[in-house]
Amino acid sequence: CSAIDACETSNGGCSAKAECRRTTPGSRVCVCKAGYTGDGIVCLEINPCLENNGGCDRNAECTQTGPNQAVCNCLKGYSGDGKTCTYISLCSQNNGGCSEFAICNDTELTERTCTCKHNYIGDGFKCRGNIFQELLRNSNTSRFYFHLEALSIRDVAGPGPFTVFAPHTDVLNSDPRVKDWIAKGVMAQVLRYHMVGCASLLYNELTTLTNITSLQGDPIHISYSQNSLVLNNKAEIILSDAVSTNGVIHVINQILVP
């Protein structure tokens, strides 16, 4: 007589995910393999994510990859290896995409607000200071700023409001008369002729006017034709409505002469 091997056929009736172990002749036990749980007849995959989030951080997602196997991935707004996840402050990098003149505040995950600092205006992504500051920041008007600074003309740094017609940088660099005006000591008068006090006049408002008085004292004639605003029948406004905290800047393509 030979002993009957209960595991010989059909894995002894055990689950395909179980190991059949002979005990006494004709008897056996079924033991689920590693990564599975059950009575051996029925073996189910162990999902480690169902208990304690699979050992992942509470701000991570646990994803089962196999029997009793899982990976941990930090949720959006957090960084780390999944076991440890740290909150990412949007404001910690590049000021959260806000203007350099704005304050970035984290509000919630993946959200932040941008607020312009004191003495600046804008939506937080673009913040503008006073006319004097804005003339310098814009390459189209920076040459006009340098001429003001060289002659210590700081009217437009005051409370305002002001309207400034700034000749384009290229014009100021190329017009030969500029050197003559500086040599003769009249450049300050020319520069002040490009400023208007006590009013912040946007493009649409200028179309309704015919004359305005400059800080230099002489009037500036305004005409509107063929969808263009022209000053003194010569200088055309080519860029308009750069609003600042104390007024507005328009860029013109010619120098105004009082």
Side-chain angles (χ1 to χ4, degrees):
C1 295
S2 59
I4 297 173
D5 183 352
C7 296
E8 190 172 11
T9 58
S10 301
N11 199 30
C14 302
S15 166
K17 305 299 183 183
E19 180 186 351
C20 180
R21 296 177 184 173
R22 293 170 57 190
T23 52
T24 57
S27 299
R28 56 90 178 101
V29 293
C30 301
V31 180
C32 291
K33 295 178 181 178
Y36 294 85
T37 183
D39 60 5
I41 305 299
V42 176
C43 294
L44 302 174
E45 277 190 7
I46 296 173
N47 183 353
C49 296
L50 299 178
E51 186 175 345
N52 195 32
N53 199 30
C56 302
D57 189 276
R58 64 187 182 92
N59 292 307
E61 179 183 24
C62 179
T63 304
Q64 184 185 5
T65 57
N68 204 26
Q69 294 177 323
V71 293
C72 304
N73 294 298
C74 294
L75 298 174
K76 188 176 181 180
Y78 292 86
S79 66
D81 60 4
K83 298 292 185 180
T84 303
C85 297
T86 306
Y87 173 65
I88 301 171
S89 168
L90 290 179
C91 295
S92 65
Q93 296 179 339
N94 195 33
N95 201 30
C98 303
S99 164
E100 61 180 308
F101 304 111
I103 298 170
C104 180
N105 284 309
D106 289 292
T107 53
E108 55 183 272
L109 286 182
T110 70
E111 296 291 336
R112 54 90 179 88
T113 60
C114 301
T115 307
C116 291
K117 295 177 180 178
H118 182 61
N119 289 331
Y120 287 87
I121 59 171
D123 59 7
F125 298 98
K126 288 187 177 180
C127 297
R128 297 177 296 277
N130 63 38
I131 288 177
F132 206 60
Q133 293 168 312
E134 294 306 305
L135 287 172
L136 174 60
R137 289 176 61 195
N138 190 331
S139 62
N140 295 321
T141 58
S142 58
R143 192 65 189 165
F144 187 73
Y145 165 87
F146 290 128
H147 281 296
L148 294 176
E149 183 71 8
L151 295 169
S152 299
I153 300 173
R154 301 187 64 88
D155 305 66
V156 289
F162 300 100
T163 301
V164 172
F165 302 102
H168 194 280
T169 289
D170 292 343
V171 174
L172 285 170
N173 284 337
S174 61
D175 195 317
R177 296 175 298 173
V178 172
K179 287 184 179 179
D180 292 336
W181 291 329
I182 293 173
K184 293 176 182 177
V186 297
M187 190 62 182
Q189 295 177 47
V190 174
L191 294 174
R192 282 202 169 94
Y193 186 52
H194 292 78
M195 308 176 197
V196 176
C198 303
S200 179
L201 300 169
L202 297 174
Y203 191 91
N204 284 341
E205 296 170 294
L206 290 170
T207 61
T208 65
L209 302 174
T210 54
N211 286 285
I212 49 178
T213 303
S214 70
L215 289 185
Q216 179 266 348
D218 286 348
I220 300 171
H221 176 67
I222 303 172
S223 56
Y224 184 72
S225 63
Q226 297 181 338
N227 297 321
S228 294
L229 265 177
V230 180
L231 309 180
N232 292 349
N233 298 316
K234 182 179 181 183
E236 182 182 342
I237 294 178
I238 54 176
L239 296 169
S240 63
D241 294 351
V243 177
S244 66
T245 56
N246 63 343
V248 61
I249 302 168
H250 304 286
V251 181
I252 56 178
N253 64 355
Q254 296 287 334
I255 299 174
L256 300 176
V257 182

